[in-house]
Amino acid sequence: ALRAPRPEHSSLARRLPAMTSPQDLVGWYDFSWKGGSFEVCLRPAGHFFCPQFQAPARWELEGDVVRIDWAKFGKYEMQVAA
């Protein structure tokens, strides 16, 4: 079975205004892990997409934390840098 690596670092920590909205985060990001890196996309309306590790997935912004529910690949939380 295909398993997504556990991201150790993400470029999600780009500088954003203090009042970040979900629309501010829409775009492509690199997830890095000990085996390399791969691209993921935070799409509008809470849709999460990764071409390399495809699965139905959602994301949401709660305060300064992005929560990703990546179905069979797990759940992740990342803090947005202010």
Side-chain angles (χ1 to χ4, degrees):
L2 184 63
R3 296 187 61 214
R6 308 267 321 155
E8 295 172 357
H9 171 73
S10 167
S11 62
L12 196 60
R14 65 180 168 179
R15 294 212 168 268
L16 294 167
M19 297 297 289
T20 300
S21 71
Q23 293 82 3
D24 295 328
L25 297 176
V26 169
W28 287 92
Y29 298 89
D30 290 317
F31 278 11
S32 300
W33 65 299
K34 64 182 177 181
S37 65
F38 55 95
E39 289 188 322
V40 300
C41 185
L42 301 182
R43 292 181 169 175
H47 296 281
F48 178 87
F49 177 69
C50 176
Q52 191 171 352
F53 301 100
Q54 294 187 27
R58 306 280 304 164
W59 72 276
E60 66 181 3
L61 177 65
E62 189 172 304
D64 64 350
V65 175
V66 173
R67 289 186 170 79
I68 300 169
D69 184 348
W70 201 348
K72 66 183 179 180
F73 297 123
K75 294 184 180 188
Y76 302 87
E77 290 187 356
M78 289 169 238
Q79 188 165 9
V80 177

